[in-house]
Structure formats: structure tokens, C-alpha cells
Amino acid sequence: KFYDTKKGFGYVALDTPVAGIEEAKVSREEVLGGEAIPLAQGMAIEFGLYKNKQEKVCTCDVTLPGGETISRDVAEGRQYLGNKRYTGTVQWFSVKNGIGFIIPDHFTSLPKVAQQKSTEAAQRAADKTQQEVFEGLMFHRRDKTDPAARFGEGSKVSFNVFVDNRNAGATNVTES
């Protein structure tokens, strides 16, 4: 139904109501995947049910159908676009939030699907902020090859490209 990754909970709709129960609360702690997984609306999952101390119906042992743990890549619909390396400049990186933004040196050399996703994301951001937004690629601390690397504004980097449900991004990010 919905899931708020920041708050770590949401609600799932049961395909078939059980004893009149049509939905149940899902908590981050019950998602089997080992990290803060962003469950997507409409995503097929399996789970057990239990009642908490307040007698609310909750999920437990949340997995993909068949019992496979849920990875962030699966939840985000991440598709890696080959092994080609690209170069760019870090526009910003937030150590606190663990995310950053790269402006590619040659945007038009990126795969077409990555260009399209990046352009769409830039338009959404511009609509939201009413400010000029550049086409580029998001990256997360987990996408850095060396977790200890400190990227700051202006750092020159090389990377591979992926697309997911909402955006295009950089992965295997290294200083160049």
C-alpha cells in the first residue's frame, strides 16, 4: 500500500483478507534484507502476520515471493547499464545523508535511458524547488568503491551508470 523509508514503516494490503483483516503494518525491522529497504508500492512480497501489544496486526519475516531476502537493488528496480566508465565532477556530497550528485563531463555520452531518467528527475526537482537544476547522476555512499573516500565539491570522479524506478545514478564511483 505504502512505505515511508525515512520513518521505517508502512502498510501492506493482503491479496486475500484473513479473518476480515485487509491490511497490516510493516516495520523496517521485519524486512529481511539487512538494510533500510525502500519497499515500493505494488511490490509483491510475502510475510507472516502477528498481533502486537496493542492488538494491531503487523507483518513479520517480510521477503520476496519464494522467501528470498529483499535487496535495495531489487526494491529500487536498479538496472546496471554495462561496464563502461564515465567521468564527471562532484557537484555536492552530503556526508550526513550519504548522498551526492555528479555532473557528467559528457552527458550525451551516457546511455539514452540514463539521459532520459536524469532529465525527468531534473524536471521533477525544478518543478518542486522552482530553481534551475542540472542534469546529472545521484550517488550514495554505498556506490563508492572506497567507503572511506571523501568526495567534495569539484572532485573529479569516474563511475558506471545505472537506472532505477525514479532516476539515473552513478555506481562504483572512484576519484579519477
Side-chain angles (χ1 to χ4, degrees), residues 103-118:
I103 302 293
D105 289 339
H106 305 285
F107 183 78
T108 57
S109 71
L110 299 176
K112 294 287 184 207
V113 66
Q115 292 177 46
Q116 180 181 352
K117 288 274 192 172
S118 177

Side-chain angles (χ1 to χ4, degrees), residues 2 51 70 81 86 105 122-123 131:
F2 85 90
K51 284 190 177 180
I70 303 172
L81 303 179
Y86 301 90
D105 289 339
Q123 185 60 55
Q131 296 178 2

